[in-house]
Amino acid sequence: MVDASTQTDATDEITPTDDDAANVLTLVPSSFSASRSARSRSSTPHRHLSSPPPPLPRSWVLLGALRGGLDLAFRNELCSKTYERTNMSIIVLHAFAYSGESRRPFACDPANPGTRNLQFCKASLPIHVRVQDLIGRLTLQEKIRLLVNNAASVERLGVNGYEWWSEALHGISNTGPGVKFGDAFPGATSFPQVITTAASFNTSLWQEIGRVVSDEGRAMYNGGAAGLTFWSPNVNILRDPRWGRCQETPGEDPHLVAQYAVSYVKGLQGGSDSGNTGRLKVAACCKHYTAYDLDDWNGFDRYHFNAKVSKQDLEDTYNVPFKACVVEGNVASVMCSYNQINGKPSCADPTLLRDTIRAQWHLNGYIVSDCDSVGVLFYQQHYTRFPEDAAAATIKAGLDLDCGPFLAIHTEQAVRTGKVSELEIKYALANTITVQMRLGMFDGPSGPYANLGPRDVCTPAHQQLALQAAREGLVLLKNIGRALPLSPQRHRTVAVIGPNSDATVAMIGNYAGKIYSSFKKERPKQ
């Protein structure tokens, strides 16, 4: 296997032979064997990109993109520029001039005289003092409506509603309701799928991608088009290629997945500057905790699956990336999964949540359920007899936020019947509101990222980084007969054959942002 940093130099000397057309070529951007092949590469991941790598021959990028399933190549070279290609469908993202107004402050608007002197609005005070002050002003009903992803406003305190669910797996995505493309933000930079980027074995690249994504996330938040809590990355261990979500993950190696997680989280949240208690640029979330890699197979689905896992496998394999996220990456959130682990739903297991994530790893942030997981453990898994029991079980286990309506509907009854205390609800809110405070959401309109706007989304530099990631993620498995690089003198036409030859939308991957089709196939002239 050729190291990514020397890949071009090592092959530039190859001269195509006369019988290139008969040679068999296998070129893929990523595969499930990529991390197994890591031992053939340098044992130490790249940590510094002192200069951009030399450009790969364009035929390599083209073949890798269309034959191997790479979701990037030409489509992301420049958002605002298009490239004509014959008989190819090119997907591009467009950036337009900003003409809208900025988002009004989430809370503590200086123009609101009713909140100007409230303690939780005083940015000079310690965050924990401000959090306690705000929670102390809330009624039970107001507290409960803040336990779900579409948190309600508290108008009497000048706090607006907030949608916690935004996605940024490989670029800002509108998969969650927190992101709205259109007007000044018609799209965002899309990076290669994670399984490709991870194959670069380049930690500094992963962190730089996170930094760029967070720039665009902050810009969209300032323009009212996104939240600041992004439920990414997916750090599940890939153990079965039949899962169907393999492309979302860095692969099957716990160490590689952990290093990717740490790098991407630091890039998103602000690197070492955020620390364990400091401010956040955006809040990342490592998901789905834990032993989760089955959607629908052989009569089992993710809503009913009980993963029987030994303590050693949890410690040595499945929990490795999550521990790294919390301990090394200082991630602001962890998402629990739908499945059960050894008979207990992940989101209702105090050993997994309260005792491990919070007590052992010292998460400084919040724990959120996968969407409707609390409802799933009651309605599908029948884990409790009554819905208020399910609400109480999850909150007591350490869940702070429900992606879904279940806690908003059933928590009050759980309090009234003594199954969960209002103090435990306060603990949950303290974790979520602390993250919002660290994001500066209670500091009014000012802040270190207030200047970011549409001009900072989908920039040429961001697009170049996406192209670089695509090139570094290519994995050359075979070059039989020294078929590469192709000779432009001998090979004027390249035929791309197979099911992925024109699967441009599929190659972009899931959890991707809004895309624009700028080219259509040309029909041959009759």
Side-chain angles (χ1 to χ4, degrees), residues 494-510:
V494 176
V496 182
I497 302 170
N500 289 328
S501 61
D502 195 24
T504 49
V505 174
M507 287 189 286
I508 291 168
N510 55 346

Side-chain angles (χ1 to χ4, degrees), residues 29 67 89 115-116 118 139 160 164 194 233 251 254 277 283 287-288 296-297 329 386 404 447 476 495 497 501 509:
R67 289 197 61 181
S89 176
T115 62
R116 196 173 298 160
L118 297 178
T139 67
N160 290 312
W164 285 83
V194 176
T277 59
K287 62 183 185 183
H288 313 79
D296 190 358
W297 176 79
F386 299 108
L476 179 63
I497 302 170
S501 61

Side-chain angles (χ1 to χ4, degrees), residues 127-142:
I127 285 180
H128 73 274
V129 173
R130 301 170 69 192
V131 170
Q132 291 173 3
D133 178 72
L134 174 57
I135 293 176
R137 297 174 185 272
L138 299 172
T139 67
L140 174 61
Q141 290 73 25
E142 288 170 338

Side-chain angles (χ1 to χ4, degrees), residues 66-121:
L66 297 183
R67 289 197 61 181
L70 182 62
D71 65 300
L72 199 59
F74 298 117
R75 117 180 128 79
N76 249 349
E77 282 188 335
L78 289 174
C79 281
S80 58
K81 192 173 182 181
T82 57
Y83 297 84
E84 293 189 356
R85 296 286 184 272
T86 303
N87 293 330
M88 289 175 57
S89 176
I90 304 297
I91 308 298
V92 296
L93 304 173
H94 295 280
F96 300 98
Y98 182 53
S99 59
E101 296 181 356
S102 298
R103 170 195 293 270
R104 63 173 178 161
F106 166 75
C108 303
D109 189 344
N112 183 352
T115 62
R116 196 173 298 160
N117 296 318
L118 297 178
Q119 256 198 331
F120 69 82
C121 287

Side-chain angles (χ1 to χ4, degrees), residues 270-484:
S272 58
D273 294 336
S274 68
N276 194 43
T277 59
R279 297 295 180 132
L280 296 166
K281 189 178 181 184
V282 304
C285 174
C286 290
K287 62 183 185 183
H288 313 79
Y289 179 78
T290 183
Y292 176 79
D293 63 352
L294 183 146
D295 268 50
D296 190 358
W297 176 79
N298 200 27
F300 295 95
D301 61 44
R302 58 183 177 170
Y303 306 120
H304 300 86
F305 182 62
N306 177 24
K308 297 178 182 179
V309 187
S310 69
K311 290 183 179 180
Q312 181 173 347
D313 279 344
L314 278 177
E315 183 70 21
D316 291 349
T317 301
Y318 296 105
N319 286 356
V320 170
F322 293 98
K323 183 177 181 179
C325 274
V326 177
V327 176
E328 299 177 51
N330 297 319
V331 74
S333 177
V334 174
M335 176 183 287
C336 53
S337 53
Y338 293 111
N339 59 295
Q340 296 185 356
I341 295 92
N342 299 322
K344 282 189 177 181
S346 172
C347 294
D349 190 338
T351 301
L352 290 176
L353 305 188
R354 184 191 62 208
D355 298 344
T356 301
I357 298 177
R358 188 75 63 187
Q360 292 183 26
W361 300 344
H362 305 294
L363 172 70
N364 181 29
Y366 67 99
I367 300 174
V368 60
S369 72
D370 203 343
C371 294
D372 294 319
S373 285
V374 184
V376 164
L377 69 88
F378 176 71
Y379 293 112
Q380 275 77 36
Q381 299 176 4
H382 309 294
Y383 184 67
T384 64
R385 183 177 179 184
F386 299 108
E388 59 268 26
D389 292 331
T394 54
I395 294 172
K396 284 179 172 293
L399 186 70
D400 302 309
L401 186 69
D402 175 20
C403 178
F406 197 93
L407 291 188
I409 298 170
H410 300 291
T411 300
E412 185 170 356
Q413 180 64 14
V415 175
R416 301 297 184 204
T417 55
K419 295 175 178 178
V420 70
S421 70
E422 190 168 354
L423 180 61
E424 288 168 308
I425 294 174
K426 289 181 179 179
Y427 286 148
L429 291 182
N431 292 324
T432 54
I433 295 173
T434 295
V435 168
Q436 290 180 315
M437 293 275 187
R438 293 171 65 195
L439 288 164
M441 294 173 64
F442 287 82
D443 296 346
S446 61
Y449 309 108
N451 62 320
L452 295 173
R455 68 184 181 278
D456 300 296
V457 177
C458 214
T459 67
H462 294 178
Q463 295 304 301
Q464 188 60 37
L465 181 66
L467 182 61
Q468 176 186 335
R471 287 169 167 165
E472 290 198 28
L474 289 170
V475 177
L476 179 63
L477 298 182
K478 293 182 181 179
N479 192 13
I480 298 177
R482 296 166 51 154
L484 289 179

